[in-house]
Amino acid sequence: MAGDVVDLIMQDHREVERLFHELERHPEKRPLLVPVLSSLLTAHSRAEEAEVYPAAKGEADEAEDVAHGQKEHAEAEQLLAKLNETEPESKQFEKVLSDLVEAVTHHVKEEESTVLPKMRRELTEARRRELGKAFVSSRTSHLGARPGEATKRELLTQARNAGVTGASKMDKDEIAREVAKSS
C-alpha cells in the first residue's frame, strides 16, 4: 500500500541525492548509474506532473509554485538528456552533471520548502494517501521513460502546469518548444 504522497516524493528526492553522490564520487560507476538516475528522475517528474501538480494547483492553491516547478522539471530533463549523450569519462560530463545537480538540488529545496509543506497542511491525510497511490502507479508506469521523449499527452500536461496557453492546438514539437521556452 502506498503512503503519503509528500513522504514518497521526499524519499525519491533522497534517492536522487544518493545517486548524485555516487556519480560524483565514483566515476567508474557512471555507465551503470546514469540510466538508473535517468529512469528514476524522469519517472518521478512525470508522476508529479500527472498526479501531484494538478492537486497542488487546484486543492492547495499552489498555481504559481507548480508553474515554476514545471519549468524546473523541463530544465532538468534537458540536462538529463544531455548527460545521457555525454561520454562519462569526459570533462564535459563533469560540467553537465554539476549543472544537473545544481538544478535538481535547487528544485528539491524549493519544493520541500513551499509546495510539499502546503500540501501537508491543506490536504487531508486520506487525500495525500490517495495521491500517493496515484503517484506510485504513475511513476511505475513511467519507469524506463527517457528524458526528451515525452508523449504529446505528457507534453500537454507539462504545458498546462507551466501555464502555456494554446497548447492543445499545437503539434508535439511545438508544445515541446513552448515548454522548453518557458523554463
Side-chain angles (χ1 to χ4, degrees), residues 9 21 26 32-33 37 48 58-59 67 108 135 143 147 157 162-164 167:
I9 289 170
H21 181 76
H26 302 284
L32 297 173
L33 291 179
L37 175 67
E48 272 190 341
E59 298 170 41
V108 165
F135 174 78
L143 282 173
T157 299
V164 173

Side-chain angles (χ1 to χ4, degrees), residues 68-152:
H68 181 71
Q70 181 62 65
K71 291 173 185 176
E72 290 176 339
H73 278 195
E75 177 188 4
E77 188 159 334
Q78 290 169 351
L79 289 167
L80 196 54
K82 191 172 183 181
L83 189 72
N84 276 281
E85 297 165 0
T86 306
E87 286 297 319
E89 304 82 29
S90 71
K91 287 213 181 279
Q92 180 65 16
F93 186 94
E94 297 285 340
K95 171 72 172 124
V96 176
L97 178 60
S98 174
D99 290 348
L100 179 63
V101 169
E102 184 179 323
V104 171
T105 300
H106 170 81
H107 171 73
V108 165
K109 186 176 182 178
E110 282 187 347
E111 194 170 75
E112 289 185 0
S113 66
T114 59
V115 176
L116 298 180
K118 190 158 186 190
M119 286 183 71
R120 199 179 297 277
R121 283 191 313 271
E122 299 291 325
L123 304 179
T124 66
E125 182 180 344
R127 179 64 173 134
R128 291 193 317 269
R129 288 192 174 283
E130 179 183 324
L131 286 170
K133 185 176 180 182
F135 174 78
V136 168
S137 177
S138 182
R139 185 183 58 192
T140 300
S141 74
H142 286 101
L143 282 173
R146 298 193 39 87
E149 295 179 359
T151 66
K152 183 174 182 179

